[in-house]
């Protein structure tokens, strides 16, 4: 256990400052474990913990009693974890300094371009499969694997017309995603 050196509080130090400091010392490790369990990368956990306490500071008047702090911070932490995952999903990684690594020959450059396009296609397919409902996904995935409509319908215990209809719905959703 580390000791914290005592310094005299500044002139504008209030009870709210003391409460937030106490909450930070008591619940920081709990929030770190919570955020790590919520699939936040370990390099980002400390930043998200700081964001949680910044939100707590802004909404400190919502805290009725200090005994209710842990569930209150838990909800704030879960909301921040969700927001962080959403933002990380939209983040694009910029690859700087790779111009020297690209091949000189055109056939190698073309194969790399095809690989990048295929990877991007798989990314978009995964995103599409996550957006469609589970009933439609249950028909689309085996269809993409090369199974016939009849085999899919028999395996799922549905009519072939239902399987055709679900594939048609998937195609329509794919068209709307392609336009977006």
């Amino acid at each position: 256990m580390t000791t914290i050196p005592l310094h005299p509080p500044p002139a504008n130090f209030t009870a709210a400052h003391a409460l937030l400091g106490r909450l930070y010392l008591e619940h920081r490790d709990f929030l770190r474990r919570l955020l790590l369990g919520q699939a936040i990368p370990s390099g980002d956990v400390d930043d998200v913990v700081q964001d949680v306490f910044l939100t707590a500071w802004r909404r400190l008047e919502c805290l009725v009693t200090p005994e209710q702090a842990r569930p209150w911070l838990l909800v704030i932490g879960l909301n921040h974890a969700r927001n962080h995952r959403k933002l990380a999903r939209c983040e694009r990684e910029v690859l700087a300094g790779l111009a020297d690594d690209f091949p000189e020959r055109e056939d190698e450059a073309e194969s790399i371009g095809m690989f990048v396009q295929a990877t991007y296609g798989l990314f978009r397919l995964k995103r599409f499969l996550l957006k469609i409902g589970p009933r439609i996904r249950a028909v689309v995935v085996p269809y993409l694997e090369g199974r016939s409509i009849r085999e899919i319908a028999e395996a799922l215990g549905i009519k072939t017309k239902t399987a055709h209809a679900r594939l048609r719905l998937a195609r329509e959703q794919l068209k709307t995603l392609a336009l977006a």
Side-chain angles (χ1 to χ4, degrees), residues 27-41 45 48-49 52 70-82 85:
H27 301 291
R28 177 188 58 216
D29 293 331
F30 163 72
L31 284 170
R32 282 184 52 62
R33 288 190 307 273
L34 171 78
L35 295 171
L36 285 170
Q38 291 293 315
I40 303 297
V45 167
V48 178
V49 168
V52 168
R70 184 168 280 213
W72 182 62
L73 289 170
L74 172 80
V75 171
I76 296 172
L78 290 175
N79 288 336
H80 276 278
R82 185 188 67 236
R85 285 191 308 270

Side-chain angles (χ1 to χ4, degrees), residues 16-123:
H17 289 94
L19 176 62
L20 186 70
R22 190 177 119 211
L23 291 177
Y24 182 79
L25 291 175
E26 290 177 5
H27 301 291
R28 177 188 58 216
D29 293 331
F30 163 72
L31 284 170
R32 282 184 52 62
R33 288 190 307 273
L34 171 78
L35 295 171
L36 285 170
Q38 291 293 315
I40 303 297
S42 58
D44 295 342
V45 167
D46 290 327
D47 293 336
V48 178
V49 168
Q50 295 301 320
D51 288 340
V52 168
F53 281 106
L54 184 62
T55 302
W57 172 250
R58 288 181 186 149
R59 298 192 177 122
L60 202 55
E61 70 276 353
C62 297
L63 183 62
V64 178
T65 62
E67 291 79 31
Q68 297 173 341
R70 184 168 280 213
W72 182 62
L73 289 170
L74 172 80
V75 171
I76 296 172
L78 290 175
N79 288 336
H80 276 278
R82 185 188 67 236
N83 292 341
H84 187 273
R85 285 191 308 270
K86 281 183 183 176
L87 289 174
R89 196 174 45 197
C90 298
E91 214 172 72
R92 301 261 191 257
E93 186 173 331
V94 178
L95 302 174
L98 291 180
D100 301 332
D101 297 338
F102 285 124
E104 297 291 327
R105 297 188 351 225
E106 285 186 28
D107 58 339
E108 285 185 28
E110 187 175 313
S111 66
I112 289 176
M114 289 174 57
F115 174 73
V116 169
Q117 285 179 342
T119 304
Y120 182 66
L122 286 174
F123 167 76

